[in-house]
Amino acid sequence: MPGYELINKEEYLECRDVLKKSKTFFRMGFNPFRKGIFKVDTFEKKFSKHLNSKYALGVTSGTAALRVAIASLNLKPGDEIITSAFTFVATVEAIIESRCKPICINIDESLNIDPKELEKKITKKTKAVIVVHMLGVPAKMDDILKICKNKKIKVIEDTAWGCGGKYGNKFLGTIGDIGTFSFDHAKAITTGEGGMIVFKSKKTFLNAKAWHDHGHENNPKFPRWEDTRKSSGFNFRMTEMQGAVGLAQLKKLNYIVKKQKMNHDLIWNKIKSIPGISRRKYPTGSKISADALIIFVKNNDIAKKCRLELLKQGISTKILPEAYSWHFAGLWSHIKELYKKNFKNSLKESEKILKKSVSIPIFVKMKKSQINAIKKSLIKAVS
Ligand SMILES: *Cc1c(COP(=O)(O)O)cnc(C)c1O
């Protein structure tokens, strides 16, 4: 889990620059005051460099990142966007806010989109797919890209739970056309609230940059309020304080992913021989960011028992089973744009897999005693 465990002097010093030197919270302009300090700008450049992506844009949240990413594609109301049945509601909310139609499809045992389902659910109206690398494990990007390329469908990677993970030799978020990231307080790196979008195409990046800032082109030849206008838009601008914290956190990302992977492996090696436990499937070429370790048990009753036994030892679970209703589309009867009669039945396959899942949160700092307690609790629950 993450960056919040490591908030320290580095974050303080970056923020102090803003509070004591630039005294400017706005990400652009005010040049006579800010002493050359542009935290959001620098964060975007460094984030882009870290991931080996071409263009990056900071925004106010992971949800905003998705909304702005969709806006950059110039879709029409009613266009269909396919996404996973297992994700946070934000993915679907961003599609609805864009006046597009969300189509949630089944996952496989990787807990990400099943490429076979994707192929079946594409229609003439499908214009984009939002692939979610849920809880640190990559989706099957080779198969997904092949399908989408054939049909000229854009691929957005919701990398809220995959920052720092890789698929083959590429960072998650840089494989499709656009990648979105969240820096909320539970994610691998955090700015409190915040997000980032990375782009392959300069044109799409410029669309997004203008749209997230009321359509401002920020043409350097003009002062901001005599600036040229590209389109309508909204305000999803990141603040300098978020940018400052992001810069400090980004330096810790490699360490976070390395430690999480280490702890993930330590736990898995301890529990893998317990009868009745198997692990979520990792696609070939995965380099997980290890936000969580998700195991399959025999049924939902045992999954709930695992949660109770873990809680008794002071260990929580992460999303599954306790926050299942916020992350499985088949239960979102409160979203009228999505839910219709029998919708749940079309996602039976996902429901079956998710109900037997238990998600163990991975922290950067984990004690041996905690790892032993996980093993003890699981043995008790499954036997
Ligand atoms: C966290 C999350 C988001 C939203 O990010 P916020 O920064 O909280 O708005 C979107 N998608 C997924 C899969 C997430 O886990």
Side-chain angles (χ1 to χ4, degrees):
M1 212 144 11
Y4 76 66
E5 293 177 79
L6 304 175
I7 295 170
N8 211 324
K9 202 171 158 200
E10 300 78 13
E11 285 75 7
Y12 166 74
L13 290 175
E14 290 285 352
C15 291
R16 195 179 67 174
D17 272 354
V18 177
L19 291 166
K20 286 198 110 167
K21 291 186 196 157
S22 78
K23 299 185 192 272
T24 305
F25 293 141
F26 199 55
R27 64 160 297 172
M28 57 198 122
F30 300 93
N31 292 19
F33 301 90
R34 62 193 310 149
K35 305 198 172 66
I37 292 170
F38 291 87
K39 294 293 185 191
V40 178
D41 219 51
T42 314
F43 182 32
E44 288 169 346
K45 289 201 173 82
K46 295 212 164 152
F47 192 83
S48 204
K49 192 165 174 218
H50 186 102
L51 264 63
N52 207 6
S53 78
K54 275 216 158 111
Y55 308 99
L57 179 70
V59 289
T60 45
S61 71
T63 311
L66 287 161
R67 177 65 190 94
V68 176
I70 297 170
S72 75
L73 296 175
N74 288 325
L75 303 185
K76 288 194 271 310
D79 282 346
E80 290 177 2
I81 301 181
I82 293 177
T83 192
S84 172
F86 180 44
T87 183
F88 182 48
V89 283
T91 319
V92 161
E93 287 168 336
I95 298 172
I96 292 168
E97 274 301 303
S98 312
R99 286 178 277 169
C100 291
K101 191 175 168 197
I103 310 286
C104 293
I105 67 167
N106 274 315
I107 54 168
D108 60 23
E109 291 211 329
S110 72
L111 299 186
N112 295 323
I113 282 181
D114 178 352
K116 289 199 281 300
E117 282 285 305
L118 175 61
E119 209 153 18
K120 278 193 240 161
K121 293 291 159 65
I122 289 173
T123 71
K124 281 205 184 86
K125 285 187 169 174
T126 311
K127 292 287 151 32
V129 176
I130 303 181
V131 178
V132 186
H133 304 295
M134 199 52 182
L135 287 168
V137 173
K140 293 175 179 147
M141 290 307 288
D142 281 348
D143 295 340
I144 291 166
L145 285 185
K146 207 187 279 167
I147 295 165
C148 292
K149 221 174 187 174
N150 263 334
K151 311 240 173 186
K152 297 200 165 57
I153 293 167
K154 296 287 181 198
V155 177
I156 299 172
E157 297 173 71
D158 181 342
T159 320
W161 281 127
C163 190
K166 283 182 173 177
Y167 179 77
N169 56 9
K170 284 189 181 146
F171 275 103
L172 300 181
T174 68
I175 303 158
D177 298 286
I178 303 177
T180 66
F181 296 83
S182 162
F183 307 133
D184 79 26
H185 199 62
K187 301 300 183 353
I189 59 173
T190 183
T191 59
E193 298 281 3
M196 189 74 82
I197 319 169
V198 298
F199 304 85
K200 277 214 174 92
S201 137
K202 184 172 184 184
K203 189 169 159 241
T204 318
F205 164 66
L206 291 176
N207 288 346
K209 196 171 173 198
W211 197 88
H212 103 297
D213 182 22
H214 304 295
H216 270 287
E217 289 193 305
N218 290 297
N219 188 329
K221 287 192 208 128
F222 304 107
R224 184 160 164 89
W225 295 110
E226 294 161 44
D227 184 21
T228 47
R229 299 175 299 275
K230 191 178 180 73
S231 63
S232 77
F234 218 76
N235 174 5
F236 286 117
R237 291 182 303 256
M238 185 179 252
T239 74
E240 286 290 280
M241 291 300 273
Q242 289 171 307
V245 176
L247 275 170
Q249 287 267 304
L250 180 61
K251 287 189 187 138
K252 302 175 185 182
L253 179 59
N254 281 340
Y255 175 77
I256 289 168
V257 173
K258 194 176 105 191
K259 288 299 265 191
Q260 288 187 162
K261 175 72 170 52
M262 258 175 62
N263 287 331
H264 165 282
D265 293 351
L266 277 174
I267 297 169
W268 178 238
N269 284 329
K270 266 227 175 308
I271 65 173
K272 67 182 176 191
S273 58
I274 301 173
I277 284 181
S278 61
R279 198 185 63 189
R280 160 194 202 178
K281 303 276 188 300
Y282 298 170
T284 322
S286 295
K287 292 196 183 76
I288 59 171
S289 63
D291 291 286
L293 163 61
I294 303 183
I295 57 168
F296 299 140
V297 293
K298 208 160 162 200
N299 56 45
N300 192 237
D301 286 341
I302 294 178
K304 286 178 178 159
K305 225 166 124 193
C306 288
R307 161 130 175 113
L308 287 180
E309 289 302 332
L310 285 163
L311 275 181
K312 277 190 210 162
Q313 301 291 326
I315 293 154
S316 59
T317 44
K318 183 166 176 170
I319 295 179
L320 298 169
E322 80 286 358
Y324 170 62
S325 66
W326 279 95
H327 295 83
F328 171 50
L331 296 178
W332 295 342
S333 50
H334 68 294
I335 303 183
K336 64 179 189 306
E337 295 86 344
L338 178 76
Y339 202 81
K340 46 191 179 304
K341 259 199 189 144
N342 295 321
F343 172 67
K344 191 176 170 185
N345 291 333
S346 72
L347 300 177
K348 273 272 175 273
E349 205 45 48
S350 305
E351 186 181 23
K352 220 167 73 191
I353 299 169
L354 292 170
K355 280 203 149 168
K356 62 170 185 175
S357 300
V358 179
S359 171
I360 299 159
I362 307 286
F363 297 90
V364 172
K365 300 173 186 170
M366 285 186 104
K367 291 194 201 96
K368 242 194 185 144
S369 58
Q370 281 172 310
I371 294 174
N372 288 331
I374 291 171
K375 180 179 181 180
K376 231 170 80 187
S377 319
L378 293 178
I379 289 173
K380 214 164 159 200
V382 299
S383 63

